[in-house]
Amino acid sequence: MSVKISPSLLAANFMDLNSEIKKLEQNKTDMLHFDVMDGTFVPNISFANPILAQIKANTNIPLDVHLMIDKPHRYIKEFAKSADYLGFHYEAGSDVAETLKEIKNCGCKSCLTIKPCTKPQEIFEFLPLCDMVLVMSVEPGFGGQSFMPESLDKVKALRQEIDAKGYNCLIEIDGGINGETAPLAVEAGVDVLVAGSYLFGDKMAERMELLRAL
Ligand code: DX5
Ligand code: ZN
């Protein structure tokens, strides 16, 4: 199975969102990564549900929603209306198991995300409830940061646990993914690559092809 690609909308040209999404469709993207930031859990504010709902109404690309918000259980029902994968942070102050179950009850695929400060072993007990886990390879909050190589060991530990127990759970990585770091991530066991600043722009087609060939 080849690696899946989830371009991060944070790096798109918002004045021309429709053609950005058409370009992603033409390049047969696997998903579209949608970063929701609340200015509290992370020191930045991005976009939220009204935009997500409009995107959902205008494309068939599966939407991969990354909530970077405090107490995310408050907003699961709302985001689940448009998300395909719905993920939240382990560190964000919601009951982890209950929130994962609620996501699944709403009909979405569940994703649990960890910040660079969190050890992968802390989330092992939740893996049976996860369709995907997201390893942050930068501090969440901003695009265009440099990849943290220590995230590779976290991916390896999760890969080993998921394979050993036979869980049906993808591993996604997010932050600083480009032509140099993507092969390392795939080698460590990543199934889904999020990339923002690397993919949006003139070279989207060739760069998506390059990542897909890994
Ligand atoms: C950062 C976001 C990322 C971001 C990645 O908090 O979660 O999805 O858009 O951007 P790049 O690929 O530029 O590091
Ligand atoms: Zn993200």
Side-chain angles (χ1 to χ4, degrees):
M1 193 187 75
S2 69
V3 68
K4 294 186 194 313
I5 307 173
S6 190
S8 170
L9 194 73
L10 206 57
N13 174 5
F14 299 120
M15 295 305 286
D16 206 358
L17 212 44
N18 201 34
S19 37
E20 294 282 49
I21 288 168
K22 291 282 163 284
K23 260 203 287 181
L24 291 171
E25 288 172 353
Q26 280 156 17
N27 285 296
K28 300 194 177 7
T29 192
D30 300 286
M31 301 181 199
L32 173 59
H33 187 80
F34 189 89
D35 289 299
V36 182
M37 304 180 187
D38 67 353
T40 303
F41 181 70
V42 289
N44 196 10
I45 298 176
S46 59
F47 32 61
N49 215 38
I51 297 178
L52 184 71
Q54 285 197 25
I55 294 175
K56 184 70 190 171
N58 286 284
T59 184
N60 291 324
I61 301 173
L63 302 181
D64 164 31
V65 177
H66 175 192
L67 297 180
M68 284 166 272
I69 64 175
D70 247 350
K71 303 186 178 59
H73 62 275
R74 298 173 296 159
Y75 292 98
I76 296 305
K77 283 197 177 61
E78 193 56 31
F79 281 100
K81 290 179 192 163
S82 307
D84 291 276
Y85 282 85
L86 182 51
F88 65 98
H89 271 266
Y90 169 73
E91 308 86 357
S94 288
D95 184 294
V96 174
E98 286 308 312
T99 308
L100 288 167
K101 283 181 205 159
E102 191 182 356
I103 292 173
K104 283 173 167 292
N105 286 340
C106 289
C108 293
K109 295 204 187 264
S110 60
C111 176
L112 184 59
T113 305
I114 54 171
K115 296 213 293 186
C117 60
T118 300
K119 291 190 178 64
Q121 290 76 12
E122 289 181 54
I123 63 162
F124 279 3
E125 63 178 294
F126 302 110
L127 291 175
L129 293 171
C130 296
D131 294 298
M132 186 157 80
V133 285
L134 168 53
V135 176
M136 288 307 297
S137 41
V138 297
E139 283 300 335
F142 299 91
Q145 303 180 75
S146 301
F147 183 79
M148 298 168 76
E150 51 274 35
S151 58
L152 294 171
D153 281 341
K154 297 163 81 166
V155 170
K156 286 179 196 159
L158 284 162
R159 178 83 279 155
Q160 204 179 4
E161 178 71 5
I162 288 169
D163 290 352
K165 302 275 167 68
Y167 298 138
N168 192 8
C169 175
L170 297 171
I171 303 178
E172 181 176 51
I173 197 162
D174 181 8
I177 292 296
N178 57 37
E180 281 83 56
T181 56
L184 306 175
V186 171
E187 204 186 298
V190 159
D191 303 294
V192 184
L193 296 165
V194 175
S197 45
Y198 179 66
L199 286 182
F200 282 90
D202 296 347
K203 297 186 175 148
M204 181 188 282
E206 61 184 82
R207 290 183 171 182
M208 281 190 68
E209 210 170 303
L210 194 144
L211 295 188
R212 204 171 277 119
L214 291 174

